[in-house]
Amino acid sequence: MAVPHVKIVLRNVRSCRKNWSLTAEGIFCEGLHLVTGPVGSGKSTLALILAGLFNPSSGYVERDAVSSVMLSFQYPEYHVTGTTVEEECSSWGRDPDAILQAVNLTSKKEASPLKLSRGELKMLHLECILAGHYDLLILDEPFSSLDCFGKEKISRMLSHRFRGITIIFTHEQAIFPRVDHIWEIQNRELQACGKPPEAFLQWHNAPAMIKNLIAAGKTPKNLSPEDLMEVACGT
Amino acid sequence: MRDVRIRTCVAAVLSCVAFFSIEGAVAALTWWLFFSHPLENLKKIRVVFPVIFMIIFFCGVLELTGGGGVSYGVRMLTILALGTWLYVEHRRGEFLHLGTWLFGNRIGFDIGMLAEMGMQTLDTLASDFLWIRMAQKLKGKPFGVKNLVPTGLILIDRTIRRAEDVAEMLAVRGYSGGGTFCPEFEGSRRDVVGVLVALLFVFISFIPASEFFILYR
């Protein structure tokens, strides 16, 4: 029996608030999607709509074969339900020892998750989420509060995620995972830029580093640090 | 009501009248029904509904055990309705204008700023609560008694962190108490009508019911 492909279709979706609006139309198929846009452009609103937590003002969202959804909010403390770090790992249904070792927090397993620094809590939260399997995984600003090492680690984990739809909403400008599709919110509208590397030419607000490389005639294959390094250092 | 001075004064007077007698509560509730856009207010602050149910529950218990529950319930619900109206009508910065107008640029400014911070904290707490509920739902842990402790801890933690940030910001800007501020207010004809009717209702509430209903004697 053929395994159904997960897919999300946005049909004339429009969200309005006083003097602000966002329109979105497109298909999110399996793979890693990167959605960028300036602060206040509606990334979080779109994330909520895609997760089914917020109804658009008009239009609708079709979810094909999506049985499990997870949305990671920008502030990890909203997700906390455990009173200790160890309990918090267990509350996600994960093995606390493995998670705590991965994020180097074994010594703090009895501490309250809210006593961790924002960066530590974010790493713990993302590690717990990425250890699970979801048909639709949405990450709202996953790189905020993380240092470069943390961002690289999360990017590597995301690059190796093959199942389901993963959508990253971010205005990060330096460190990215290897993505399959790039989207951009521009002029209050979600626009599909396409697949890398062709997408880089359609990406209006691409990070300066990408623009500079393209201007120098060096187009990277993708966005990961390895891809950028390869093209930047290549002769 | 546009003028925060009139609005606060009317809310305070009507709350006192409602607290001291059932007649006063009925008069205040009638005023609230006609002058506060009650349905719109209640829609904007739905968190008030659990409080309403809680008051009704305790009034029922009081009525069954010792009596006086209905009177207490009407008075408390009226005060809650007036509080809801005052909260919904609030616009950012108003209490700073009011505080400075009442007590001057030193203590009045501080009181106004504190009140304003309190109102902003309430807004943020309500917003945080919604996000926490959504996050818990996603995690497969619907909001319930089990999640009350972690929810409370998150709300307290975020409030304290924000308070620390605000305190640091004020210190960095050289704040040590008081400030310079010129309060401004805008009124409308509806404000005047609202005050006059409120005063009339207050007056009526002090007249014994027997003066109106002859058969009641």
Side-chain angles (χ1 to χ4, degrees):
Chain A
M1 203 173 85
V3 179
H5 286 288
V6 288
K7 189 171 75 175
I8 294 193
V9 185
L10 300 176
R11 294 205 190 277
N12 297 318
V13 168
R14 189 175 164 83
S15 182
C16 304
R17 273 196 309 264
K18 286 184 182 170
N19 300 322
W20 177 92
S21 70
L22 171 72
T23 51
E25 177 140 3
I27 300 171
F28 286 82
C29 49
E30 229 162 346
L32 183 53
H33 299 253
L34 177 73
V35 183
T36 63
V39 174
S41 58
K43 296 191 295 293
S44 297
T45 306
L46 186 59
L48 289 171
I49 290 172
L50 285 164
L53 293 171
F54 187 75
N55 290 326
S57 311
S58 61
Y60 57 95
V61 182
E62 281 176 20
R63 290 181 189 82
D64 288 351
V66 176
S67 57
S68 55
V69 179
M70 178 50 69
L71 164 59
S72 160
F73 293 137
Q74 182 176 354
Y75 300 115
E77 51 271 38
Y78 287 143
H79 293 269
V80 171
T81 51
T83 48
T84 64
V85 170
E86 192 176 22
E87 246 182 61
E88 180 56 18
C89 295
S90 305
S91 73
W92 286 96
R94 317 287 181 247
D95 172 23
D97 292 332
I99 297 285
L100 293 178
Q101 203 171 355
V103 291
N104 206 16
L105 284 175
T106 311
S107 60
K108 294 185 178 177
K109 68 177 181 182
E110 295 300 325
S112 163
L114 299 173
K115 293 285 175 204
L116 298 178
S117 72
R118 175 64 69 68
E120 285 176 326
L121 184 58
K122 186 86 179 182
M123 274 306 285
L124 177 75
H125 165 72
L126 289 172
E127 192 78 34
C128 287
I129 281 193
L130 295 176
H133 296 289
Y134 302 100
D135 292 333
L136 172 61
L137 173 61
I138 303 168
L139 305 170
D140 190 5
E141 299 294 357
F143 304 114
S144 67
S145 318
L146 297 183
D147 57 17
C148 288
F149 298 109
K151 287 178 186 179
E152 281 178 7
K153 186 179 179 193
I154 295 302
S155 290
R156 273 196 301 276
M157 290 171 83
L158 286 166
S159 297
H160 293 105
R161 196 172 175 85
F162 296 113
R163 215 187 112 183
I165 305 170
T166 305
I167 308 173
I168 303 169
F169 287 85
T170 185
H171 55 252
E172 167 68 26
Q173 292 286 301
I175 298 169
F176 298 93
R178 191 166 287 160
V179 303
D180 298 307
H181 303 270
I182 296 175
W183 303 75
E184 183 175 32
I185 298 178
Q186 211 195 10
N187 302 324
R188 300 178 176 185
E189 192 182 349
L190 178 71
Q191 295 169 357
C193 300
K195 292 183 174 195
E198 294 80 21
F200 298 146
L201 301 173
Q202 309 294 323
W203 196 1
H204 292 97
N205 292 308
M209 188 172 40
I210 306 283
K211 282 186 171 174
N212 290 340
L213 282 171
I214 291 173
K218 297 175 174 182
T219 307
K221 283 182 199 160
N222 210 304
L223 284 173
S224 72
E226 294 80 22
D227 293 312
L228 298 181
M229 194 72 83
E230 186 187 324
V231 73
C233 302
T235 51
Chain B
M1 278 189 164
R2 286 188 189 170
D3 193 325
V4 64
R5 295 169 298 181
I6 297 177
R7 200 187 314 137
T8 311
C9 184
V10 166
V13 171
L14 289 178
S15 298
C16 289
V17 169
F19 183 75
F20 286 115
S21 72
I22 183 87
E23 292 87 354
V26 172
L29 199 60
T30 312
W31 184 93
W32 175 78
L33 284 171
F34 283 102
F35 284 92
S36 76
H37 308 291
L39 286 178
E40 283 175 37
N41 284 355
L42 291 174
K43 268 186 204 167
K44 281 181 191 167
I45 179 167
R46 292 184 185 179
V47 73
V48 80
F49 288 110
V51 183
I52 292 175
F53 289 125
M54 204 169 70
I55 291 176
I56 291 173
F57 172 75
F58 284 112
C59 291
V61 173
L62 196 62
E63 188 66 33
L64 290 172
T65 51
V70 173
S71 163
Y72 178 79
V74 172
R75 286 182 291 146
M76 286 303 111
L77 287 174
T78 305
I79 292 170
L80 183 69
L82 290 166
T84 308
W85 166 68
L86 195 63
Y87 177 77
V88 172
E89 292 270 310
H90 171 259
R91 285 185 291 273
R92 280 202 171 174
E94 275 186 339
F95 282 139
L96 196 56
H97 290 271
L98 181 66
T100 314
W101 178 76
L102 275 174
F103 304 112
N105 268 332
R106 181 76 193 174
I107 191 145
F109 183 94
D110 288 347
I111 291 172
M113 193 171 69
L114 273 177
E116 208 53 53
M117 285 176 176
M119 292 299 280
Q120 284 181 18
T121 303
L122 282 177
D123 287 342
T124 322
L125 278 173
S127 150
D128 279 349
F129 184 65
L130 285 176
W131 286 102
I132 292 167
R133 280 184 66 177
M134 280 197 277
Q136 289 175 346
K137 193 178 158 191
L138 283 163
K139 213 171 169 183
K141 298 179 189 302
F143 186 73
V145 180
K146 271 187 180 176
N147 290 334
L148 276 179
V149 173
T151 304
L153 286 175
I154 298 167
L155 290 174
I156 292 168
D157 179 73
R158 282 186 64 84
T159 307
I160 291 172
R161 283 191 195 204
R162 264 190 222 110
E164 283 171 353
D165 289 345
V166 171
E168 273 177 27
M169 188 199 71
L170 286 172
V172 166
R173 289 186 178 187
Y175 174 80
S176 60
T180 309
F181 192 73
C182 296
E184 287 175 5
F185 303 96
E186 54 173 329
S188 70
R189 197 174 288 173
R190 193 179 159 81
D191 287 11
V192 180
V193 176
V195 172
L196 292 176
V197 176
L199 288 174
L200 182 69
F201 280 14
V202 169
F203 176 71
I204 289 170
S205 73
F206 283 111
I207 301 172
S210 55
E211 295 295 324
F212 288 102
F213 305 104
I214 298 164
L215 292 176
Y216 188 73
R217 290 177 192 176

